[in-house]
Amino acid sequence: MRGLAGIAACGTSLASRPARSHPPAPYVPRFFTPIEWAFLTAACDRLIPADENGPGACALDVPRFIDMQMDTPYAFGAQWYMQAPFVQGPDNLGYQLPHAPRDLYRRGIAGMNAHAATRHGRPFADLAPALQDDLLRGAENNRLVFGDIPSSVFFDQLLANVMEGAFSDPVHGGNTGLGGWTMLGFPGARADFMDWVDRYGAHYPLGSVSISGETA
Amino acid sequence: MSDDARRLKPVDVVIVGGGWAGSIMAKEMTEAGRSVVMLERGPDRSTASEGAYPASIDELEANFRYKLFQDLSKNTVTIRNNSQQTALPYRRMAAFLPGEGVGGAGLHWSGVHFRIPPDDLRMRSRVIEKYGARFIPEGMNLQDYGVTYEELEPFFDRAEKVFGTSGEPYMINGKVVGKGNVFSPSRSDHFPLPALKDVYTAHLFRKAAEEAGFHPYSLPAANASRQYVNPYGAQMGPCNFCGYCSGYACYMYSKASPNVNILPVLRQHPLFDLRAGCHVLKVELDADGRRATGVTYTDPDGKVVTQPAELVILTAFQFHNVRLMLLSGIGRPYDPVRNEGVVGRNFVYQNVTTSNVWLDRGIETNQYIGAGGGGVAFDDFNSENFDHGPLGFVGGSPVWVNQAGVRAIAAAHSGGPPGTPRWGSAWKAGMIDTYRHSLRIDAHGSNMAYRDVYLDLDPTWKDAYGQPLLRMTFDWKDNDIRMNRYVVDKIGDVAKAMGARRVNLTKREFGRPFDTRQYQTTHLGGGAVMGSDPGTSALNRYLQSWDVHNVFVIGANAFPQGTGYNPTGMVAALAYWAAHHIRTTYLAHPGPLAG
């Protein structure tokens, strides 16, 4: 189920990947269940679709990045102040739920799939892209409710991690082939412009480089 | 807790907080022959480890997992917009990013290094002289610092030489010598290093600002434009505009930090004892509360110990200094209802909005190139450099391009022009266009102090040690919103002169409350301010507690109102100023330095 759903969701981006002589073994998620993984890969590819401007989130291995992040202290809420009581207040006073990112994903994905099933009789991953976009927009605009989690809270968590996965150093599992940086025009770890700072109007000629020395 | 605490061997001076202010005070006190213990609650840090290239320039870890910042899980603040609300915990980093660890925020700051405008030091007097006392809005606690620019000048000069600051002067000893900021006061000497080169966007901004009739100048930057050795013998390398300043330890040793510019020397001193991982719980006072006897802290093993000392210097971040005073009973807590008390009074922020300018698609703005303190500014609408009479507000704002380096995740979050979706193909196209062809212009404005904006202790939430969190009561006020809106319109004039394809002027909106979810700035101030009246200031003009004479409190907490400039240059100068008076007067004759 996992493999099928994942491939279905990521089909377009897999096709646009450069050919490799030895295709790598598919990534096996450690945190997300097969059903959750199917949601995640499908949603990521809608948030950053492959198009004429560059690769999509699946080609950049954004789902892998998010799964790997779920094993870090951040995902357990270790960097957030998580002392009770949890009192809800106006939005501008910030996040006040007792849920760490791992909980937000568990509950949020279940909620998204429940809405997909109620409206369309199928899980999110099996819907047509236009229907997936409608559900994502519903979550973004806080029109869905997942128990005590406003859907926009889940959506913002997902979107933030998707952006991180596409544009962080590949050491964290995303931005495969430096595709995110190349699309944006960000040179990554070059980090030396002594000779370029005052070449006004000149095009910077060097491609991106990662912390590990990978170039694009 | 203090009664059970293990008592350590007494020392002359205990310093709470290992950032710029703490490192300066420790250096000065050891030079005076005093034994110093510096307590830092975070880990020990050095450029050699936290700044090692290339692992250190990891945007995810530095800017999104807050590797070098305060551990909010242990201690945070609560925030509300007014005293009718329940303040709620600041659970995730967003609006402001306090530092932690040896070097403090001085390890991962950007490097903009200003001298405060002379008029800002006597803002109340100046406004009354120019516009009359009725010009000051009801409820605004406008105050003077109780110290003048002329008195502070030698200490601004000292700080610049220690920091290796790059800049272009305007006037030295009353003579015009360069193309620096025409509104800046006379200096006693040049900057130790010439100004940094302009990045492309700053270059374009400089030309356009001149065309629009303003007076652009190079931002003074504690990012070394050349190799430099400071008066302590500490060495800096030349900045290569790598674009990884804010949030990072500088791998080039180019950005001034306590870790590069002071601590390598201080760590060798036999009278200096740095203890990391030590969280101070309170300052201990004698039976009548008039004299500090030391501090009590938890050590890295979680044991509670008391460090006796003759002199206690608080040099933690602005709001931690205020909290420690409240927890320790130093000075009278502010009561906004009765308008009495001083600790927590005049809590201020900074009024920053960032506007965007899109240029032709043939122009690549290279936003990844940058130096944290570098750029071009104009001060035509800062401080008292313009006539406020017809405008009806107090305060002002420098305007600048301070391209510190825009990195990829940040660019993705910023996305495209207003109205662009946050995801999908339209977001992608807008983000790429914005990253490649736009620039950012900041209005970096002052924030005045108000009677109903203050700090106190929260009644509900506690830190990991069981002590109450600090509570912030803060909102934007019409005076400050009007100031921002007036100055941001000038950015429109500059953008027009630049030949902008598109402009997004970001202004503060009336009635929209302070939003803790969006990064604004970490330039918080006030709460334990300096002054000449114990009824309206917690500290005298030497940053000495009015009530407990052997406690000095150094930091932006001393600012009676927020300025348009970045605070670090002023904090460093105040540290040297206070240290000078401790060394020349207090150590020989301990007691109140101001009557």
Side-chain angles (χ1 to χ4, degrees):
Chain A
M1 163 126 193
R2 171 176 68 231
L4 285 176
I7 286 169
C10 278
T12 49
S13 53
L14 280 174
S16 65
R17 262 188 188 181
R20 302 183 198 213
S21 51
H22 298 289
Y27 177 75
V28 179
R30 296 164 52 124
F31 171 75
F32 292 104
T33 66
I35 290 169
E36 290 169 340
W37 185 249
F39 167 86
L40 188 66
T41 50
C44 284
D45 226 27
R46 296 315 302 157
L47 297 176
I48 307 185
D51 62 18
E52 70 279 6
N53 278 313
C58 282
L60 297 171
D61 287 312
V62 169
R64 176 174 72 185
F65 164 87
I66 296 175
D67 189 65
M68 288 169 65
Q69 282 293 305
M70 292 301 108
D71 268 342
T72 66
Y74 156 78
F76 290 85
Q79 297 166 342
W80 297 351
Y81 180 78
M82 294 298 268
Q83 299 302 312
F86 290 89
V87 177
Q88 301 313 300
D91 287 349
N92 69 295
L93 296 185
Y95 186 73
Q96 300 297 335
L97 293 171
H99 307 305
R102 286 167 67 105
D103 309 322
L104 291 176
Y105 276 101
R106 283 266 130 85
R107 293 159 189 255
I109 293 174
M112 289 294 283
N113 274 332
H115 280 277
T118 305
R119 291 188 191 185
H120 309 294
R122 279 180 290 171
F124 179 92
D126 294 348
L127 301 178
L131 294 179
Q132 292 176 336
D133 285 357
D134 282 346
L135 277 171
L136 288 169
R137 267 191 293 272
E140 179 181 20
N141 297 320
N142 212 16
R143 292 198 296 264
L144 316 178
V145 176
F146 315 140
D148 67 339
I149 298 178
S151 65
S152 62
V153 169
F154 166 68
F155 181 88
D156 288 348
Q157 177 73 41
L158 173 64
L159 187 66
N161 292 146
V162 167
M163 296 306 170
E164 290 169 359
F167 297 100
S168 57
D169 192 277
V171 71
H172 299 291
N175 191 15
T176 296
L178 312 184
W181 290 353
T182 302
M183 158 167 71
L184 191 58
F186 177 66
R190 290 275 169 212
D192 176 12
F193 305 106
M194 186 80 95
D195 300 329
W196 278 92
V197 58
D198 53 355
R199 292 200 201 182
Y200 301 143
H203 174 71
Y204 182 70
L206 301 179
S208 308
V209 63
S210 75
I211 286 172
S212 72
E214 180 185 0
T215 54
Chain B
M1 117 183 73
S2 312
D3 294 340
D4 304 331
R6 191 160 54 94
R7 287 178 72 80
L8 304 174
K9 187 167 156 269
V11 294
D12 295 329
V13 184
V14 65
I15 292 177
V16 181
W20 273 122
S23 300
I24 289 169
M25 297 309 285
K27 183 76 178 73
E28 290 279 321
M29 293 302 108
T30 55
E31 283 180 11
R34 294 308 198 270
S35 60
V36 172
V37 164
M38 186 160 84
L39 300 169
E40 166 55 47
R41 67 187 164 168
D44 199 358
R45 286 184 171 136
S46 71
T47 296
S49 54
E50 278 75 14
Y53 177 90
S56 64
I57 56 168
D58 182 334
E59 187 190 12
L60 182 73
E61 290 296 323
N63 295 125
F64 291 87
R65 300 292 178 267
Y66 307 105
K67 186 173 142 188
L68 301 179
F69 292 83
Q70 183 178 325
D71 181 355
L72 290 190
S73 75
K74 290 205 175 104
N75 185 13
T76 185
V77 295
T78 64
I79 308 177
R80 59 183 177 174
N81 294 124
N82 60 66
S83 56
Q84 310 307 311
Q85 282 182 321
T86 300
L88 297 176
Y90 179 65
R91 295 184 181 274
R92 299 175 178 180
M93 285 287 196
F96 48 87
L97 310 172
E100 192 163 276
V102 170
L107 181 62
H108 53 73
W109 69 315
S110 294
V112 179
H113 186 180
F114 274 114
R115 299 178 171 205
I116 198 169
D119 284 342
D120 281 19
L121 291 172
R122 47 190 304 278
M123 184 67 97
R124 180 180 183 82
S125 300
R126 192 80 182 111
V127 165
I128 291 174
E129 283 161 17
K130 283 178 82 171
Y131 316 113
R134 293 168 62 99
F135 195 77
I136 302 171
E138 176 71 29
M140 183 190 286
N141 287 343
L142 200 60
Q143 292 181 204
D144 296 348
Y145 281 65
V147 63
T148 65
Y149 173 77
E150 288 70 27
E151 289 174 305
L152 288 181
E153 202 286 334
F155 307 100
F156 282 120
D157 180 70
R158 177 72 174 163
E160 286 168 358
K161 284 171 176 158
V162 170
F163 283 47
T165 300
S166 305
E168 168 84 16
Y170 173 65
M171 189 183 284
I172 295 177
N173 296 326
K175 278 178 58 182
V176 174
V177 296
K179 295 179 182 167
N181 180 9
V182 299
F183 299 103
S184 64
S186 186
R187 310 163 51 85
S188 60
D189 201 354
H190 286 266
F191 287 94
L193 291 172
L196 292 162
K197 289 176 177 175
D198 291 349
V199 300
Y200 190 26
T201 54
H203 166 77
L204 296 171
F205 177 81
R206 187 189 291 275
K207 282 200 306 187
E210 250 163 32
E211 273 177 53
F214 306 135
H215 298 83
Y217 63 93
S218 298
L219 281 172
N223 312 94
S225 59
R226 294 180 187 164
Q227 194 274 344
Y228 181 69
V229 181
N230 82 0
Y232 299 148
Q235 300 189 50
M236 303 172 80
C239 171
N240 70 352
F241 297 87
C242 79
Y244 291 89
C245 285
S246 193
Y248 302 80
C250 173
Y251 82 88
M252 290 290 288
Y253 293 75
S254 308
K255 179 178 69 180
S257 65
N259 313 65
V260 166
N261 296 57
I262 301 177
L263 286 164
V265 181
L266 198 49
R267 285 176 194 269
Q268 311 297 321
H269 203 291
L271 290 174
F272 179 67
D273 181 0
L274 167 62
R275 299 179 195 158
C278 294
H279 177 89
V280 175
L281 300 165
K282 66 184 293 200
V283 179
E284 300 293 344
L285 303 180
D286 67 6
D288 63 3
R290 304 294 295 173
R291 196 174 159 279
T293 58
V295 302
T296 295
Y297 66 91
T298 60
D299 72 8
D301 299 325
K303 292 200 190 84
V304 178
V305 294
T306 294
Q307 174 62 65
E310 291 297 314
L311 182 58
V312 174
I313 305 178
L314 304 184
T315 57
F317 186 66
Q318 172 260 342
F319 60 69
H320 296 303
N321 277 346
V322 176
R323 178 170 180 253
L324 211 41
M325 292 178 78
L326 291 170
L327 291 172
S328 308
I330 298 170
R332 192 169 166 196
Y334 176 59
D335 177 343
V337 178
R338 306 176 116 186
N339 202 16
E340 291 171 357
V342 288
V343 183
R345 188 175 182 275
N346 278 37
F347 167 52
V348 293
Y349 202 19
Q350 198 161 47
N351 192 1
V352 183
T353 60
T354 298
S355 297
N356 312 82
V357 176
W358 286 261
L359 302 176
D360 284 349
R361 288 197 173 84
I363 298 174
E364 296 181 18
T365 50
N366 297 344
Q367 293 188 72
Y368 48 84
I369 298 179
V376 171
F378 61 83
D379 268 19
D380 299 62
F381 306 99
N382 189 26
S383 191
E384 278 300 327
N385 301 343
F386 59 117
D387 183 7
H388 290 68
L391 302 171
F393 60 74
V394 179
S397 176
V399 173
W400 61 53
V401 166
N402 168 221
Q403 184 172 294
V406 182
R407 296 164 294 269
I409 305 172
H413 279 294
S414 300
T420 310
R422 295 161 70 206
W423 51 279
S425 283
W427 157 78
K428 239 170 143 179
M431 168 193 66
I432 293 168
D433 177 36
T434 298
Y435 192 62
R436 293 183 182 228
H437 308 300
S438 78
L439 65 140
R440 301 175 179 192
I441 303 179
D442 301 320
H444 200 268
S446 60
N447 170 228
M448 295 300 122
Y450 299 91
R451 179 173 166 175
D452 57 359
V453 171
Y454 58 99
L455 301 170
D456 62 359
L457 294 174
D458 191 87
T460 306
W461 282 277
K462 305 268 197 288
D463 68 9
Y465 309 94
Q467 293 187 297
L469 299 186
L470 191 71
R471 177 168 66 179
M472 294 179 171
T473 303
F474 178 84
D475 210 349
W476 301 112
K477 301 287 190 176
D478 281 2
N479 173 83
D480 298 63
I481 296 170
R482 284 206 308 279
M483 183 281 289
N484 168 268
R485 297 179 68 86
Y486 174 77
V487 178
V488 170
D489 276 335
K490 310 299 178 188
I491 293 177
D493 300 345
V494 178
K496 200 170 165 192
M498 287 178 124
R501 159 165 59 105
R502 178 172 190 157
V503 183
N504 171 44
L505 295 182
T506 307
K507 298 178 186 177
R508 221 165 270 302
E509 302 289 340
F510 293 104
R512 186 176 297 173
F514 168 56
D515 193 329
T516 67
R517 298 168 300 176
Q518 281 150 16
Y519 182 71
Q520 335 225 344
T521 169
T522 308
H523 302 159
L524 297 145
V529 312
M530 61 192 293
S532 45
D533 175 2
T536 58
S537 60
L539 311 173
N540 65 26
R541 74 192 213 107
Y542 305 103
L543 296 101
Q544 179 185 36
S545 163
W546 285 109
D547 302 274
V548 184
H549 70 75
N550 64 337
V551 171
F552 287 76
V553 186
I554 318 291
N557 56 269
F559 301 0
Q561 51 268 329
T563 87
Y565 282 165
N566 309 54
T568 304
M570 179 61 176
V571 170
L574 288 176
Y576 281 112
W577 156 262
H580 173 77
H581 291 283
I582 293 171
R583 291 178 67 170
T584 54
T585 305
Y586 185 85
L587 291 178
H589 306 286
L593 289 171

